[in-house]
Amino acid sequence: MTTAILAIDQGTTNSKAVLVSTSGEILARGSSPVGIEHPKPGWVEQSPQRLWESVLEAIATCRAAAPAVEVLGIAISNQRESVTVWDAVTGKPLGPVVSWQCRRSAPACAELIAAGHAPQVQALTGLPIDPMFPGPKMKWLLDRVPSGSKVRLGTIDAWLIHCFTDGAVHACDAANAARSQLYDLNAQVWSDELCALFGVSKTALPEVRDSASYFGVTKNVPGLPDGIPIASAIGDSHAALFGHGAFNPGDGKVTFGTGSSVMTTLPRFIAPERGITTTIAWSIDGQPTYAFEGNILVSAASLPWIADMLGLPDVQALTELAATAPPDGPGFVPAFVGLGAPYWHSDARALFSGITFNTSRAQMARAVTDSIAFQVHDVFKAMSSQSPTRLGRLYADGGPSKNTFLMQCVADTLDHTIIQCDAPEASALGAAYMAGLTLGVWRDLAAIAALPRTVNILPPRTSDAADRLLVWQDAIYRSTVPAPSSMSE
């Protein structure tokens, strides 16, 4: 019988399940929607139970497509910075999944920044104080737990591990812990200082293990036999970087989706500056690999929005229109929920600038597609200025990365070759490769790097990207200028 690793990629909108053979081939796929709720403006949450059900549905679909496959182990990649809380005794959720997109903690973040805590938090965690990150969200969840409850608190990998093991294991991996804002990156422990600052009890937090590690075995999971080892856990963006084989310092990737994540590996921990973050990319045999990262809040999410505004049938029609645009068009900043890296401006507003009577639909479309490349450019520039090694191979993954026009715009804007990957399951593959290390399927990183990958090389071309960047920079300035007091009253 064929053997494979069952990789779970639990994302913001969908849960995916992928069977990956021991030769690195994808044998079957399955997916199921999760559902997102917006109980108040700026609030984004999900049901923990529905999230787990969507994982089970994705597994069922995947296994039905390849019924004669024996599962060697389970790999987990997950949406990051989203957190939830559950009863340690019954396993029942005690609150929602508070999404990475949620802004409910903005007032708490503002208070912490005003009190002068931002420099120390960034020194310990590599992260700025921003509503994206979980520290204040965890406090919000704990404050609403019924008194007397014994609770478990964690990122989505910890919740899934709890579900797969029927509550036997409360653990997460170092990469997910690094995104919590409670983990000391240098000491590699939950920080007493940070837990006290954010009001989170250490006793509720999961044990931190290597990304390639045993996280218990399946028990009472519908559709799966008991005893299958959970052999890896890692954040989805980190998993994609690992899946590309970006193991050399300076190698990196851009994951394009609702937002975007730009990540480049580092030879050692380096405190971040200029609006980017430092994180643990993964941990193997007790040794962390560090990375710079820039989190872009809104990337491809703006494409269907403007396509609808312009009366176009789909995003493909939008990019085809944008490709026809003459120069000297307007600028566009997709600050629908503020701006992430490298600006971290939560009050920035989305806008077009420089519109005239001569502005065409094609130029409007091009301004929006360009905003994807320009945000990556600004993060990439900040990373380049701080990296101790020259930035090397840069991979692109995620749904929008299939669009060669968009990726060529990125290559031209960065003046750097983009490696366009035919890997829509990059995160699932990376988690599967990580599990393969734990299980002994692959001996080492060199064996994983040697696995076959289909890529398309896009060198930068001569273009008017420099002129377009000037328009973009002006638009960014206008987006972040505080509104006059008379307008905000």
Side-chain angles (χ1 to χ4, degrees):
M1 179 181 287
T2 301
T3 57
I5 295 167
L6 177 61
I8 308 301
D9 180 17
Q10 201 299 298
T12 307
T13 56
N14 294 282
S15 294
K16 300 176 183 177
V18 180
L19 281 167
V20 181
S21 74
T22 54
S23 61
E25 177 189 1
I26 293 177
L27 302 177
R29 304 169 174 85
S31 67
S32 179
V34 180
I36 300 176
E37 299 175 4
H38 302 271
K40 294 183 181 180
W43 289 33
V44 186
E45 65 185 39
Q46 296 172 299
S47 162
Q49 188 58 38
R50 173 56 204 158
L51 188 150
W52 172 236
E53 290 169 355
S54 72
V55 169
L56 295 177
E57 291 165 3
I59 291 173
T61 301
C62 181
R63 297 208 72 195
V69 172
E70 178 188 358
V71 177
L72 294 175
I74 292 173
I76 296 172
S77 79
N78 59 279
Q79 56 171 305
R80 305 174 308 156
E81 294 97 23
S82 297
V83 289
T84 193
V85 63
W86 60 98
D87 190 293
V89 178
T90 67
K92 300 298 183 184
L94 295 173
V97 171
V98 180
S99 170
W100 62 273
Q101 297 174 309
C102 187
R103 312 297 288 180
R104 74 185 64 191
S105 60
C109 289
E111 291 177 6
L112 290 166
I113 293 170
H117 294 296
Q120 180 65 356
V121 169
Q122 183 150 325
L124 290 173
T125 69
L127 305 173
I129 297 177
D130 184 85
M132 177 179 176
F133 300 108
K137 296 174 184 176
M138 289 181 165
K139 174 68 160 57
W140 186 94
L141 285 167
L142 291 175
D143 284 347
R144 285 151 182 82
V145 168
S147 61
S149 300
K150 184 178 180 182
V151 302
R152 288 179 171 179
L153 178 71
T155 45
I156 300 305
D157 61 328
W159 169 242
L160 294 182
I161 290 165
H162 164 87
C163 294
F164 274 118
T165 63
D166 199 24
V169 178
H170 186 39
C172 70
D173 97 294
N176 275 292
R179 308 303 294 176
S180 69
Q181 218 159 40
L182 302 177
Y183 196 65
D184 186 323
L185 292 195
N186 278 303
Q188 299 285 294
V189 295
W190 295 120
S191 165
D192 290 326
E193 179 183 349
L194 293 168
C195 286
L197 177 65
F198 289 108
V200 174
S201 171
K202 276 179 65 175
T203 60
L205 295 171
E207 176 190 349
V208 181
R209 302 182 183 178
D210 281 337
S211 310
S213 181
Y214 284 105
F215 292 89
V217 297
T218 55
K219 183 180 179 181
N220 297 328
V221 178
L224 291 176
D226 288 353
I228 300 174
I230 294 93
S232 73
I234 185 170
D236 52 9
S237 191
H238 312 247
L241 185 71
F242 192 84
H244 293 311
F247 303 142
N248 297 319
D251 286 350
K253 62 91 201 179
V254 188
T255 296
F256 294 93
T258 301
S260 289
S261 165
V262 186
M263 190 178 285
T264 56
T265 52
L266 293 170
R268 62 185 184 277
F269 174 80
I270 297 173
E273 300 174 353
R274 304 182 189 178
I276 60 174
T277 65
T278 300
T279 192
I280 294 174
W282 50 77
S283 180
I284 300 172
D285 295 331
Q287 295 298 314
T289 293
Y290 293 99
F292 277 151
E293 183 172 12
N295 302 102
I296 296 166
L297 301 183
V298 175
S299 182
S302 59
L303 300 182
W305 170 80
I306 191 61
D308 182 64
M309 292 280 284
L310 295 176
L312 298 169
D314 52 33
V315 170
Q316 181 62 36
L318 174 74
T319 57
E320 290 172 358
L321 177 64
T324 69
D328 302 323
F332 172 72
V333 180
F336 296 98
V337 291
L339 287 170
Y343 323 101
W344 297 111
H345 199 302
S346 60
D347 294 326
R349 52 202 184 276
L351 56 77
F352 282 96
S353 69
I355 294 175
T356 72
F357 281 123
N358 292 324
T359 300
S360 66
R361 292 168 73 247
Q363 288 173 316
M364 297 281 282
R366 182 62 185 264
V368 176
T369 59
D370 274 351
S371 71
I372 294 174
F374 293 158
Q375 289 184 102
V376 173
H377 167 273
D378 290 355
V379 170
F380 193 74
K381 182 178 178 181
M383 288 180 175
S384 298
S385 67
Q386 298 174 66
S387 178
T389 57
R390 179 180 175 84
L391 298 188
R393 295 174 298 175
L394 187 62
Y395 299 91
D397 62 73
S401 70
K402 297 178 184 178
N403 189 298
T404 300
F405 168 74
L406 291 176
M407 294 305 100
Q408 188 65 62
C409 288
V410 175
D412 296 346
T413 303
L414 270 57
D415 194 26
H416 193 96
T417 296
I418 294 293
I419 304 174
Q420 191 180 22
C421 301
D422 184 16
E425 298 90 358
S427 294
L429 282 171
Y433 297 160
M434 190 73 70
L437 284 179
T438 306
L439 298 167
V441 173
W442 295 291
R443 183 178 54 208
D444 51 26
L445 296 184
I448 292 173
L451 291 171
R453 294 171 175 83
T454 303
V455 299
N456 181 36
I457 309 298
L458 297 176
R461 305 173 308 184
T462 301
S463 71
D464 63 346
D467 294 334
R468 293 180 183 271
L469 274 168
L470 292 175
V471 176
W472 161 256
Q473 291 160 2
D474 177 72
I476 283 287
Y477 169 76
R478 295 174 187 275
S479 173
T480 54
V481 170
S485 58
S486 60
M487 294 179 63
S488 60
E489 293 175 354

